Amino acid sequence: MSTGTRVLVLNAGSSSVKYQLIEMLDGSRLAAGLVERIGEPNGRLVHTPRGGPRRETLQTFPDHGAALKSVAEELAADGVGLDSPELAAIGHRVVHGGLRFTAPTLVDDEVLAEIRRLVPVAPLHNPANITGIEVARALRPDLPQIAVFDTAFHATMPEYAARYAIDRAVADEHRVRRYGFHGTSHQYVSRATAALLGRDPAELNVIVLHLGNGASASAVAGGVCVDTSMGLTPLEGLVMGTRSGDVDPGVVFHLHRVGGLTIDQIDDLLNRRSGLLGLCGDNDMREIMRRSEEGDAAARLAFDTYVHRLRKYIGGYYAVLGRVDAIAFTAGVGENAAPVRAAATAGLDQLGISVDPELNAVRSGEARVISPEYSRVTVAVVPTDEELEIAQQAFALVHAAG
Ligand code: ADP
């Protein structure tokens, strides 16, 4: 068994790779970085070693293999190369684990083939994740490669929450059901919320609101996910940066039959030209709040639509859980946008949900409570750390296997 104490976390997208090298003894980052625009002429690698200034490389990275090779060179230049015996494993973010992968999994040929079989349900994500695994395996064939799935935390959803009310045979044939995404973040944040409150996760009911560019909510009962807002794909649920979230499926038929749009055009519309962007032309909440302050009606409507949907999920998950101990806001918008947190929780005192305006206005990178002492439900801002969660899960698996 490896005696190494470091884990490299890779998050491979279609044209990018994000990475962090984490020292598991203290959770510190030895290096972090990003390669973007892979396959395009103007590629860019940004590498930040611990304590050092960040280094930028502008060049073409023809494919993920070339990108990862450059990452390996950057790490080697810092004395923390991939050939180091300190490296215990490489942890890979894999978006879709389907029904089979409900826990972190050591990758072998058979596992890789199964992840590939899931491409039809995650055509935008799994192919890039597979490429990341293949490239990392080629660089270090002897090292455990561990896949950590975005869907895994949601596998505990009861059947009635995971099912769509459509013909069961058709659903089963095409593996159509609600899988949920951002699971690594929901898992990390629900546990970190319990830690913040000094409570055992097993006795805490939490609503986690992951509000990034993609956004999702989950209901977590005693550490176990019982419902989440994303479904077969990350399109369902909350209003997001560029995704619509919930729409009547009839909208799709209407746009096709009456509007004359093709299925691909509707796919593009709902995934990339909707949400905040579709409503007001901006998908950055900072910009939307600024415009809204200046009286821009479209930005105001986008903000209000976003918040209205969020409130519906808070109320829905309150009913699903029966008893709510905490609501945790996380990711770019959740961690930074005090006005969103205020609006999403306004007027819910009857439900035991209150937010203290002064605590809510505090800017900090730390997990913190923003509800007043008397609030029955603790409202908190809890920064997510998906990379650390992936590293911890991968590291635990390596040790369990050893
Ligand atoms: P991703 O889903 O890409 O990981 P993040 O969790 O980083 O996204 O969230 C990105 C979003 O967070 C941005 O699009 C922006 O809307 C929002 N955001 C970031 N910083 C702030 C801020 N200071 N105030 C409001 N919103 C912010």
XYZ file of all heavy atoms in Angstrom, residues 104-183:
632
model
N -17.244 6.274 -3.859
C -15.994 6.424 -4.593
C -15.497 5.060 -5.065
O -15.641 4.073 -4.331
C -15.034 7.036 -3.585
C -15.744 7.135 -2.296
C -17.173 6.820 -2.499
N -14.932 5.031 -6.266
C -14.628 3.732 -6.875
C -13.230 3.737 -7.478
O -12.865 4.659 -8.220
C -15.663 3.437 -7.991
O -16.970 3.495 -7.410
C -15.453 2.065 -8.600
N -12.477 2.687 -7.162
C -11.162 2.489 -7.763
C -11.358 2.142 -9.237
O -12.101 1.217 -9.571
C -10.451 1.346 -7.038
C -9.016 1.043 -7.454
C -8.096 2.208 -7.133
C -8.527 -0.230 -6.743
N -10.695 2.899 -10.114
C -10.944 2.723 -11.549
C -10.102 1.584 -12.101
O -8.883 1.543 -11.912
C -10.612 4.018 -12.317
C -10.784 3.799 -13.817
C -11.488 5.163 -11.847
N -10.761 0.642 -12.767
C -10.054 -0.347 -13.583
C -10.734 -0.338 -14.956
O -11.618 0.495 -15.206
C -10.061 -1.731 -12.915
C -11.478 -2.235 -12.657
O -12.430 -1.710 -13.286
O -11.639 -3.148 -11.829
N -10.336 -1.230 -15.829
C -10.878 -1.208 -17.194
C -12.391 -1.375 -17.199
O -13.109 -0.728 -17.966
C -10.239 -2.321 -18.039
C -8.781 -2.016 -18.331
O -8.404 -0.827 -18.231
O -8.025 -2.956 -18.631
N -12.868 -2.241 -16.318
C -14.304 -2.523 -16.290
C -15.089 -1.301 -15.788
O -16.132 -0.948 -16.336
C -14.532 -3.757 -15.395
C -15.924 -4.342 -15.476
C -16.805 -3.785 -14.370
O -16.300 -3.470 -13.285
O -18.010 -3.643 -14.621
N -14.549 -0.639 -14.768
C -15.204 0.564 -14.235
C -15.229 1.661 -15.302
O -16.247 2.331 -15.528
C -14.481 1.053 -12.953
C -14.920 2.466 -12.571
C -14.727 0.085 -11.807
N -14.109 1.793 -16.001
C -14.031 2.804 -17.057
C -15.062 2.515 -18.149
O -15.732 3.423 -18.652
C -12.610 2.812 -17.634
C -12.152 4.097 -18.301
C -12.325 5.307 -17.402
C -10.689 3.969 -18.710
N -15.218 1.260 -18.487
C -16.203 0.870 -19.510
C -17.613 1.207 -19.037
O -18.452 1.669 -19.820
C -16.085 -0.624 -19.808
N -17.874 1.030 -17.754
C -19.204 1.320 -17.220
C -19.458 2.841 -17.214
O -20.554 3.299 -17.517
C -19.316 0.730 -15.804
C -20.685 0.830 -15.176
C -21.789 0.103 -15.933
O -21.474 -0.891 -16.628
O -22.949 0.547 -15.833
N -18.427 3.620 -16.883
C -18.584 5.085 -16.918
C -18.871 5.527 -18.361
O -19.661 6.429 -18.611
C -17.322 5.799 -16.361
C -17.116 5.435 -14.884
C -17.432 7.304 -16.517
C -15.802 5.953 -14.283
N -18.226 4.790 -19.290
C -18.458 5.098 -20.697
C -19.891 4.754 -21.098
O -20.518 5.469 -21.874
C -17.442 4.337 -21.557
C -17.323 4.882 -22.957
C -16.142 4.317 -23.710
N -14.902 4.989 -23.388
C -13.837 4.409 -22.850
N -13.856 3.114 -22.577
N -12.748 5.089 -22.597
N -20.428 3.681 -20.529
C -21.808 3.294 -20.849
C -22.817 4.332 -20.353
O -23.957 4.350 -20.775
C -22.141 1.924 -20.227
C -21.802 0.760 -21.154
C -22.494 -0.530 -20.721
N -21.877 -1.110 -19.533
C -20.768 -1.861 -19.556
N -20.185 -2.143 -20.704
N -20.259 -2.342 -18.447
N -22.364 5.217 -19.449
C -23.262 6.256 -18.923
C -23.235 7.529 -19.771
O -23.973 8.470 -19.492
C -22.877 6.591 -17.479
C -23.205 5.502 -16.456
C -22.472 5.760 -15.153
C -24.709 5.434 -16.219
N -22.398 7.552 -20.804
C -22.291 8.760 -21.632
C -23.650 9.215 -22.190
O -23.940 10.412 -22.174
C -21.235 8.579 -22.755
C -21.356 9.659 -23.813
C -19.828 8.594 -22.152
N -24.526 8.298 -22.611
C -25.815 8.781 -23.123
C -26.631 9.581 -22.102
O -27.416 10.452 -22.495
C -26.554 7.487 -23.501
C -25.470 6.500 -23.763
C -24.352 6.854 -22.827
N -26.465 9.317 -20.804
C -27.204 10.140 -19.832
C -26.413 11.369 -19.377
O -26.973 12.253 -18.729
C -27.692 9.334 -18.591
C -28.896 8.489 -18.939
C -26.590 8.518 -17.963
N -25.138 11.441 -19.701
C -24.343 12.633 -19.352
C -23.413 12.991 -20.501
O -22.194 13.020 -20.350
C -23.543 12.381 -18.078
N -24.000 13.290 -21.676
C -23.165 13.491 -22.867
C -22.234 14.690 -22.768
O -21.194 14.717 -23.418
C -24.193 13.686 -23.992
C -25.445 14.094 -23.303
C -25.423 13.487 -21.934
N -22.577 15.675 -21.936
C -21.743 16.871 -21.863
C -20.567 16.696 -20.916
O -19.577 17.406 -21.013
C -22.579 18.070 -21.381
C -23.762 18.469 -22.254
C -24.491 19.655 -21.645
C -23.295 18.823 -23.661
N -20.686 15.754 -19.967
C -19.688 15.695 -18.899
C -18.848 14.436 -18.881
O -17.635 14.513 -18.793
C -20.376 15.874 -17.549
C -20.994 17.215 -17.380
N -22.339 17.433 -17.504
C -20.436 18.411 -17.137
C -22.583 18.723 -17.321
N -21.452 19.343 -17.103
N -19.505 13.277 -18.921
C -18.723 12.053 -18.725
C -17.596 11.851 -19.735
O -16.540 11.354 -19.348
C -19.634 10.823 -18.678
C -20.186 10.570 -17.265
O -20.295 11.513 -16.493
N -20.505 9.337 -16.942
N -17.760 12.221 -21.023
C -16.646 11.999 -21.952
C -15.369 12.701 -21.505
O -14.277 12.114 -21.555
C -17.168 12.574 -23.274
C -18.648 12.448 -23.173
C -18.959 12.709 -21.722
N -15.482 13.935 -21.034
C -14.291 14.669 -20.583
C -13.712 14.028 -19.325
O -12.496 13.927 -19.173
C -14.648 16.131 -20.307
N -14.580 13.597 -18.425
C -14.105 12.942 -17.197
C -13.340 11.672 -17.540
O -12.313 11.368 -16.935
C -15.268 12.596 -16.264
C -16.134 13.789 -15.873
O -17.309 13.640 -15.570
N -15.559 14.986 -15.902
N -13.842 10.924 -18.517
C -13.178 9.686 -18.957
C -11.800 10.018 -19.521
O -10.805 9.360 -19.198
C -14.048 8.959 -20.020
C -15.322 8.423 -19.363
C -13.261 7.825 -20.687
C -16.385 7.991 -20.355
N -11.747 11.049 -20.347
C -10.457 11.460 -20.916
C -9.466 11.784 -19.807
O -8.294 11.372 -19.850
C -10.635 12.693 -21.835
O -11.632 12.384 -22.793
C -9.349 13.064 -22.531
N -9.930 12.506 -18.797
C -9.067 12.858 -17.667
C -8.497 11.623 -16.995
O -7.296 11.563 -16.677
N -9.346 10.630 -16.798
C -8.893 9.390 -16.145
C -7.872 8.681 -17.030
O -6.816 8.230 -16.555
C -10.090 8.455 -15.850
C -11.021 9.092 -14.806
C -9.606 7.083 -15.371
C -12.316 8.331 -14.572
N -8.175 8.585 -18.320
C -7.268 7.875 -19.233
C -5.896 8.527 -19.283
O -4.860 7.851 -19.246
C -7.888 7.823 -20.642
C -9.028 6.825 -20.716
C -9.740 6.866 -22.064
O -9.696 7.911 -22.744
O -10.366 5.850 -22.415
N -5.889 9.838 -19.349
C -4.621 10.568 -19.432
C -3.824 10.413 -18.139
O -2.610 10.175 -18.159
C -4.917 12.053 -19.757
C -3.686 12.901 -19.549
C -5.429 12.198 -21.182
N -4.510 10.501 -17.009
C -3.820 10.365 -15.717
C -3.280 8.949 -15.541
O -2.185 8.740 -15.021
C -4.783 10.705 -14.581
N -4.061 7.978 -16.007
C -3.614 6.578 -15.922
C -2.366 6.352 -16.758
O -1.453 5.635 -16.354
C -4.699 5.665 -16.490
C -5.577 5.034 -15.460
C -6.596 4.212 -16.189
N -6.674 2.853 -15.693
C -7.276 1.871 -16.333
N -7.833 2.085 -17.509
N -7.321 0.691 -15.812
N -2.327 6.988 -17.932
C -1.166 6.824 -18.802
C 0.077 7.420 -18.144
O 1.183 6.893 -18.271
C -1.430 7.479 -20.157
N -0.107 8.532 -17.405
C 1.030 9.172 -16.755
C 1.528 8.372 -15.554
O 2.711 8.315 -15.303
C 0.635 10.583 -16.279
C 0.655 11.701 -17.308
C 0.160 12.989 -16.660
C 2.047 11.924 -17.868
N 0.613 7.808 -14.783
C 0.988 7.044 -13.590
C 0.147 5.766 -13.521
O -0.781 5.654 -12.719
C 0.747 7.881 -12.325
C 1.866 8.843 -11.959
C 3.211 8.183 -11.633
N 3.168 7.213 -10.571
C 3.356 7.480 -9.275
N 3.589 8.702 -8.878
N 3.340 6.505 -8.387
N 0.490 4.747 -14.349
C -0.341 3.533 -14.408
C -0.362 2.758 -13.087
O -1.297 2.013 -12.832
C 0.335 2.698 -15.502
C 1.486 3.460 -16.004
C 1.625 4.741 -15.245
N 0.646 2.975 -12.280
C 0.745 2.218 -11.023
C -0.064 2.829 -9.883
O -0.212 2.232 -8.830
C 2.213 2.190 -10.589
C 2.777 3.608 -10.473
O 2.522 4.427 -11.387
O 3.436 3.924 -9.470
N -0.554 4.046 -10.094
C -1.178 4.772 -8.995
C -2.695 4.534 -8.968
O -3.323 4.466 -10.023
C -0.912 6.269 -9.223
C -0.846 7.178 -8.019
C 0.270 6.762 -7.069
C -0.624 8.607 -8.490
N -3.304 4.414 -7.767
C -4.762 4.277 -7.738
C -5.437 5.526 -8.322
O -5.121 6.648 -7.944
C -5.088 4.150 -6.244
C -3.809 3.882 -5.550
C -2.706 4.388 -6.426
N -6.327 5.281 -9.276
C -7.138 6.365 -9.846
C -8.536 6.152 -9.273
O -9.122 5.083 -9.444
C -7.203 6.267 -11.376
C -5.853 6.150 -12.064
C -5.115 7.471 -12.171
O -5.723 8.539 -12.155
N -3.793 7.401 -12.280
N -9.052 7.156 -8.610
C -10.329 6.956 -7.925
C -11.365 7.942 -8.443
O -11.124 9.148 -8.503
C -10.139 7.081 -6.401
C -9.350 5.837 -5.955
C -11.469 7.148 -5.674
C -8.568 5.982 -4.736
N -12.490 7.380 -8.857
C -13.574 8.207 -9.377
C -14.532 8.550 -8.251
O -14.961 7.671 -7.502
C -14.306 7.457 -10.481
N -14.827 9.849 -8.137
C -15.794 10.314 -7.139
C -16.931 10.971 -7.926
O -16.700 11.892 -8.707
C -15.135 11.297 -6.147
C -16.156 11.834 -5.157
C -13.984 10.605 -5.396
N -18.137 10.465 -7.713
C -19.260 10.802 -8.596
C -20.144 11.900 -8.011
O -20.498 11.861 -6.832
C -20.096 9.546 -8.849
C -19.322 8.458 -9.527
C -18.616 7.517 -8.786
C -19.248 8.397 -10.913
C -17.868 6.532 -9.401
C -18.497 7.408 -11.530
C -17.808 6.470 -10.785
N -20.523 12.840 -8.888
C -21.411 13.942 -8.502
C -22.797 13.472 -8.094
O -23.517 14.170 -7.398
C -21.583 14.867 -9.715
C -20.858 16.169 -9.525
O -19.839 16.162 -8.822
O -21.321 17.175 -10.087
N -23.168 12.303 -8.598
C -24.509 11.775 -8.342
C -24.565 10.940 -7.063
O -25.655 10.669 -6.553
C -24.935 10.871 -9.516
O -23.845 9.975 -9.797
C -25.255 11.669 -10.755
N -23.393 10.497 -6.571
C -23.370 9.433 -5.554
C -24.140 9.788 -4.283
O -24.905 8.966 -3.772
C -21.915 9.094 -5.201
N -23.970 11.008 -3.802
C -24.588 11.384 -2.526
C -26.112 11.314 -2.602
O -26.790 11.135 -1.592
C -24.131 12.801 -2.138
C -24.641 13.289 -0.820
C -24.362 12.594 0.357
C -25.399 14.449 -0.733
C -24.827 13.050 1.587
C -25.863 14.919 0.480
C -25.584 14.218 1.651
N -26.644 11.435 -3.820
C -28.104 11.461 -3.978
C -28.706 10.074 -4.150
O -29.914 9.927 -4.296
C -28.488 12.351 -5.160
C -27.932 13.734 -5.076
N -28.180 14.564 -4.003
C -27.125 14.444 -5.899
C -27.550 15.720 -4.180
N -26.902 15.669 -5.326
N -27.844 9.064 -4.174
C -28.338 7.700 -4.433
C -29.263 7.201 -3.332
O -30.000 6.237 -3.521
C -27.158 6.742 -4.594
N -29.223 7.898 -2.179
C -30.071 7.483 -1.056
C -31.490 8.034 -1.161
O -32.326 7.729 -0.307
C -29.460 7.988 0.270
O -29.123 9.367 0.099
C -28.210 7.197 0.637
N -31.761 8.851 -2.182
C -33.116 9.396 -2.321
C -34.114 8.250 -2.388
O -33.896 7.282 -3.117
C -33.235 10.196 -3.621
C -32.758 11.615 -3.523
S -33.341 12.591 -4.919
C -32.371 11.953 -6.270
N -35.223 8.364 -1.659
C -36.222 7.302 -1.777
C -36.765 7.227 -3.206
O -36.739 8.221 -3.946
C -37.314 7.713 -0.799
C -36.985 9.074 -0.320
C -35.582 9.406 -0.709
N -37.226 6.057 -3.571
C -37.695 5.818 -4.938
C -38.747 6.859 -5.373
O -38.726 7.339 -6.492
C -38.269 4.399 -5.008
C -38.515 3.856 -6.390
C -37.260 3.657 -7.226
O -36.127 3.770 -6.696
O -37.427 3.421 -8.435
N -39.628 7.245 -4.426
C -40.694 8.184 -4.815
C -40.149 9.584 -5.087
O -40.810 10.393 -5.729
C -41.815 8.220 -3.762
C -41.353 8.472 -2.347
C -40.973 9.751 -1.934
C -41.287 7.438 -1.426
C -40.543 9.980 -0.638
C -40.855 7.651 -0.120
C -40.480 8.922 0.269
O -40.053 9.143 1.549
N -38.959 9.895 -4.600
C -38.346 11.195 -4.907
C -37.495 11.102 -6.168
O -37.291 12.093 -6.867
C -37.485 11.665 -3.736
N -37.001 9.898 -6.456
C -36.117 9.719 -7.611
C -36.899 9.466 -8.905
O -36.385 9.696 -9.994
C -35.161 8.559 -7.359
N -38.138 9.013 -8.780
C -38.949 8.689 -9.962
C -39.599 9.929 -10.556
O -40.075 10.792 -9.820
C -40.095 7.747 -9.563
C -39.692 6.331 -9.354
C -40.055 5.501 -10.576
N -39.435 4.189 -10.489
C -39.120 3.454 -11.534
N -39.355 3.902 -12.755
N -38.570 2.288 -11.392
N -39.669 9.981 -11.871
C -40.604 10.887 -12.530
C -41.901 10.092 -12.704
O -41.857 8.863 -12.895
C -40.101 11.299 -13.911
C -38.867 12.184 -13.875
C -37.637 11.698 -14.302
C -38.945 13.498 -13.431
C -36.497 12.503 -14.280
C -37.813 14.311 -13.412
C -36.598 13.808 -13.834
O -35.495 14.605 -13.805
N -43.036 10.791 -12.649
C -44.309 10.086 -12.793
C -44.610 9.861 -14.275
O -45.528 10.436 -14.852
C -45.423 10.881 -12.122
N -43.776 9.039 -14.888
C -44.003 8.664 -16.290
C -44.018 7.138 -16.353
O -43.681 6.470 -15.380
C -42.918 9.237 -17.236
C -41.529 8.673 -16.892
C -42.908 10.759 -17.181
C -40.446 9.076 -17.878
N -44.424 6.605 -17.480
C -44.522 5.155 -17.666
C -43.240 4.478 -17.171
O -42.129 4.783 -17.625
C -44.745 4.871 -19.151
C -44.947 3.383 -19.406
O -43.948 2.626 -19.372
O -46.106 3.001 -19.612
N -43.414 3.552 -16.256
C -42.229 2.959 -15.616
C -41.354 2.189 -16.579
O -40.125 2.209 -16.488
C -42.664 2.026 -14.479
C -42.976 2.783 -13.225
C -43.418 1.864 -12.117
N -42.370 0.946 -11.698
C -42.503 0.083 -10.705
N -43.640 0.019 -10.045
N -41.516 -0.716 -10.369
N -42.009 1.482 -17.499
C -41.227 0.655 -18.431
C -40.358 1.550 -19.325
O -39.184 1.268 -19.558
C -42.154 -0.213 -19.269
N -40.969 2.636 -19.808
C -40.214 3.567 -20.671
C -39.068 4.190 -19.869
O -37.923 4.267 -20.326
C -41.152 4.679 -21.224
C -40.344 5.736 -21.966
C -42.222 4.081 -22.127
N -39.384 4.615 -18.658
C -38.357 5.235 -17.810
C -37.211 4.262 -17.571
O -36.029 4.623 -17.708
C -38.965 5.673 -16.486
N -37.541 3.031 -17.244
C -36.491 2.064 -16.913
C -35.655 1.707 -18.140
O -34.430 1.573 -18.048
C -37.104 0.800 -16.293
C -37.661 1.080 -14.903
O -37.332 2.154 -14.352
O -38.422 0.251 -14.388
N -36.334 1.585 -19.277
C -35.598 1.222 -20.491
C -34.527 2.258 -20.812
O -33.416 1.920 -21.219
C -36.575 1.085 -21.673
C -35.883 0.626 -22.952
C -36.795 0.661 -24.159
O -38.017 0.831 -23.995
O -36.261 0.521 -25.286
N -34.876 3.513 -20.592
C -33.939 4.589 -20.963
C -33.210 5.179 -19.754
O -32.595 6.236 -19.863
C -34.693 5.674 -21.731
C -35.293 5.168 -23.003
N -34.540 4.823 -24.099
C -36.574 4.883 -23.325
C -35.334 4.383 -25.060
N -36.572 4.401 -24.606
N -33.317 4.512 -18.617
C -32.653 4.944 -17.377
C -33.028 6.382 -17.000
O -32.203 7.178 -16.540
C -31.133 4.808 -17.505
C -30.697 3.341 -17.572
C -29.205 3.203 -17.652
N -28.710 3.507 -18.993
C -27.432 3.416 -19.356
N -26.530 3.039 -18.480
N -27.049 3.680 -20.593
N -34.305 6.713 -17.281
C -34.781 8.057 -16.965
C -35.265 8.093 -15.525
O -36.238 7.434 -15.170
C -35.926 8.464 -17.932
C -36.578 9.769 -17.466
C -35.392 8.621 -19.350
N -34.575 8.830 -14.691
C -34.956 9.050 -13.300
C -34.181 10.253 -12.784
O -33.380 10.842 -13.503
C -34.644 7.818 -12.447
C -33.164 7.460 -12.428
C -32.895 6.151 -11.716
N -32.907 6.239 -10.274
C -33.746 5.557 -9.474
N -34.669 4.766 -9.952
N -33.669 5.672 -8.176
N -34.441 10.632 -11.554
C -33.748 11.790 -11.000
C -32.472 11.302 -10.316
O -32.540 10.510 -9.395
C -34.668 12.543 -10.040
C -36.035 12.845 -10.695
C -36.925 13.748 -9.857
N -36.262 15.000 -9.625
C -35.752 15.384 -8.470
N -35.901 14.602 -7.429
N -35.121 16.521 -8.358
N -31.340 11.732 -10.809
C -30.058 11.324 -10.217
C -29.507 12.404 -9.283
O -28.943 12.105 -8.245
C -29.028 11.044 -11.315
C -29.371 9.857 -12.192
C -30.035 10.037 -13.404
C -29.037 8.563 -11.804
C -30.351 8.955 -14.205
C -29.347 7.477 -12.608
C -30.006 7.671 -13.811
O -30.325 6.602 -14.597
N -29.683 13.675 -9.676
C -29.118 14.774 -8.886
C -27.631 14.951 -9.159
O -26.951 14.017 -9.581
N -27.152 16.175 -8.940
C -25.731 16.485 -9.183
C -25.209 17.359 -8.033
O -25.926 17.590 -7.082
C -25.564 17.172 -10.542
C -26.008 16.267 -11.654
C -27.338 16.248 -12.061
C -25.126 15.363 -12.233
C -27.768 15.369 -13.052
C -25.555 14.480 -13.216
C -26.879 14.495 -13.628
N -23.967 17.827 -8.158
C -23.314 18.612 -7.090
C -23.265 17.819 -5.784
O -23.153 18.402 -4.703
C -24.085 19.923 -6.771
C -24.023 20.973 -7.830
N -25.092 21.813 -8.089
C -23.045 21.342 -8.678
C -24.766 22.656 -9.043
N -23.517 22.392 -9.428
N -23.371 16.489 -5.873
C -23.487 15.683 -4.648
C -22.295 15.836 -3.717
O -22.455 15.861 -2.494
